[in-house]
Amino acid sequence: MGKAILLAVTAVVVGASVMLLESSTNRLQADTRQAARQEEALAREIARSAYNLIVSRARQLEVEQPDLGLADLVALVNGNEGKLTGQLNGGSYEAWIYPIGASSYGAVAIGRYGDASHQVGNHRVLRSVLEVDQPSQVKVTFLESMAGYCSAIYIQRFVPKNNNGMGNNPDQCDPSNPAHGSSCETQEDIELHGNGNGKYIALEPELVFAPGNNRDGGEALYSTVLNPGERANFILAVDADFNCERRGDTSIDIDDPFYEYTRPALLESVDDFNQMQEGDYAMIQPHPTRPNVWRIAFEDLIFSKAKLEDVKRWGYGDREWKKRRGSQWGERRNKYSYGGWGWTEVDERGYYRLEDFGHMPDFSDQVIEIEFIPVPAS
């Protein structure tokens, strides 16, 4: 009888000890998870702060030195070490920018706290890209149309949101309002209709080149005057079946089911509405000597974002999409790349020399040149 009681008591004690041990273990695991979550949250905060720091530095230089080239901007922002590093809120960070093509740059920041790390990044076009600096009309010239797809070109105006009609301005007059008339005396007050969640109102796209193909040398003048502060977006709309049933149709809208897909040159950022981004399938390059002139090179086949960005940043390379081995590849080490080392050749106009491939992005499918032509003051 005594042994039975002793065994029962022992079982109770052992069970209680096991339960206590399990409870302590669970609390320890919960505390560990909570600490890890806190470290992750702090690492994210540090990364975001570092990202804002590097982007603010780039923006400031763009404002102070508007003629600064992309390569010089990257060098000045990153400094001699090639990146910014520092301590923040008990953790550390590193941040840098890098060029993408000729008119766009990416920004990356890594925040670290304890055992946690977090990386953020985005990309943007230079602030002056396709931005109007004086009242201008737009001339569009087809430079190349290597691909046989049927396509059209549309222009879309991004109008600053402070451009909101005459009724909201002193004396009910806004000289920059995109209305009918050239002065406050003759101007009609109009309401802007369009989309946009940030700095701009995106107006409805308007047709510049009707559906067609093989239009090398063709020109079109968009006669509406664009005002300072506006940005001009150009959109390639593609009919990929080669039939081009709507060839020459000047009444077709961009959302017509005739088109399989569209390729915008500019996009509003999804997380920073004060910035514009270069479309994945477009490569924008300023003319090396002529101000307010740009080339937009479109890719009209479908490729992954990684392949498109690799060509924009590094050029065509050896044209093989494979992992790159060896320390000489730097950030591309053990990653897939076409193996380029930058755009080193230019054509007779001074732009990057484009070639025509089929198995990889080449950005030579539909190529246009944009020129802002100043309009004399009336």
Side-chain angles (χ1 to χ4, degrees):
M1 181 72 177
K3 289 183 178 180
I5 294 174
L6 181 60
L7 288 173
V9 170
T10 301
V12 170
V13 171
V14 170
S17 299
V18 170
M19 292 178 62
L20 182 62
L21 178 61
E22 289 179 346
S23 177
S24 299
T25 300
N26 290 338
R27 284 198 301 271
L28 178 60
Q29 290 175 342
D31 290 344
T32 301
R33 288 194 296 269
Q34 178 64 24
R37 284 194 294 267
Q38 290 176 345
E39 288 186 354
E40 290 170 0
L42 288 168
R44 283 196 300 271
E45 181 180 332
I46 293 170
R48 176 55 61 182
S49 296
Y51 174 81
N52 291 337
L53 175 64
I54 196 82
V55 168
S56 295
R57 185 167 176 168
R59 282 175 168 171
Q60 182 179 355
L61 283 170
E62 285 189 76
V63 172
E64 293 175 351
Q65 303 181 51
D67 296 327
L68 196 63
L70 182 57
D72 292 332
L73 175 70
V74 171
L76 287 174
V77 171
N78 291 341
N80 295 332
E81 300 300 321
K83 63 178 68 175
L84 299 184
T85 59
Q87 306 294 315
L88 182 64
N89 297 337
S92 63
Y93 67 84
E94 53 184 303
W96 64 95
I97 67 171
Y98 59 92
I100 305 174
S103 299
S104 183
Y105 62 91
V108 176
I110 301 174
R112 296 185 176 87
Y113 190 95
D115 294 329
S117 66
H118 186 77
Q119 178 172 318
V120 296
N122 209 334
H123 61 95
R124 68 190 62 232
V125 295
L126 295 169
R127 65 185 298 271
S128 62
V129 170
L130 296 174
E131 183 172 88
V132 180
D133 61 4
Q134 57 185 309
S136 302
Q137 292 179 317
V138 182
K139 179 183 175 182
V140 184
T141 304
F142 248 104
L143 300 183
E144 300 177 39
S145 49
M146 294 186 183
Y149 283 175
C150 177
S151 63
I153 299 291
Y154 290 80
I155 183 173
Q156 181 182 36
R157 296 164 61 196
F158 281 92
V159 180
K161 275 196 171 177
N162 60 0
N163 192 336
N164 53 11
M166 299 189 296
N168 298 337
N169 295 278
D171 301 322
Q172 294 193 345
C173 180
D174 179 3
S176 67
N177 187 48
H180 306 291
S182 57
S183 69
C184 292
E185 287 73 23
T186 60
Q187 200 175 53
E188 295 179 34
D189 193 9
I190 64 171
E191 179 184 358
L192 294 178
H193 295 278
N195 300 310
N197 298 315
K199 180 179 179 181
Y200 299 98
I201 295 175
L203 304 188
E204 288 298 316
E206 300 176 63
L207 187 65
V208 177
F209 275 98
N213 46 25
N214 301 323
R215 292 168 289 189
D216 294 10
E219 295 182 353
L221 181 67
Y222 180 70
S223 58
T224 300
V225 176
L226 276 62
N227 295 294
E230 291 189 38
R231 293 188 104 145
N233 184 26
F234 293 87
I235 304 171
L236 177 74
V238 179
D239 168 34
D241 65 6
F242 295 95
N243 293 325
C244 210
E245 301 92 340
R246 304 285 294 273
R247 181 184 303 276
D249 186 347
T250 58
S251 66
I252 187 169
D253 294 328
I254 196 169
D255 56 359
D256 193 285
F258 167 73
Y259 299 120
E260 267 78 20
Y261 48 83
T262 58
R263 304 293 195 222
L266 291 177
L267 294 168
E268 280 193 293
S269 169
V270 296
D271 66 352
D272 181 351
F273 291 116
N274 289 322
Q275 76 178 39
M276 298 295 290
Q277 296 181 326
E278 185 177 68
D280 292 338
Y281 286 83
M283 186 164 62
I284 308 169
Q285 183 179 4
H287 192 278
T289 60
R290 299 166 61 198
N292 290 323
V293 177
W294 295 266
R295 185 185 71 176
I296 305 177
F298 289 104
E299 172 58 56
D300 65 6
L301 299 180
I302 298 174
F303 294 98
S304 69
K305 186 180 181 70
K307 290 181 177 180
L308 293 163
E309 185 168 317
D310 185 81
V311 171
K312 281 188 185 184
R313 186 174 179 187
W314 302 106
Y316 298 130
D318 58 20
R319 304 168 183 81
E320 294 185 43
W321 185 247
K322 63 183 182 181
K323 281 189 176 181
R324 302 295 162 169
R325 311 289 186 182
S327 59
Q328 72 272 21
W329 293 101
E331 63 187 87
R332 289 182 288 170
R333 183 179 183 182
N334 297 325
K335 295 181 180 179
Y336 281 91
S337 171
Y338 286 112
W341 291 102
W343 295 88
T344 58
E345 297 183 24
V346 297
D347 61 18
E348 66 278 4
R349 297 182 181 91
Y351 297 117
Y352 295 159
R353 183 179 299 281
L354 301 175
E355 299 183 49
D356 187 24
F357 307 108
H359 68 288
M360 63 176 286
D362 52 35
F363 294 94
S364 64
D365 298 329
Q366 308 293 339
V367 185
I368 58 176
E369 186 175 67
I370 309 302
E371 180 180 3
F372 290 164
I373 302 174
V375 175
S378 58

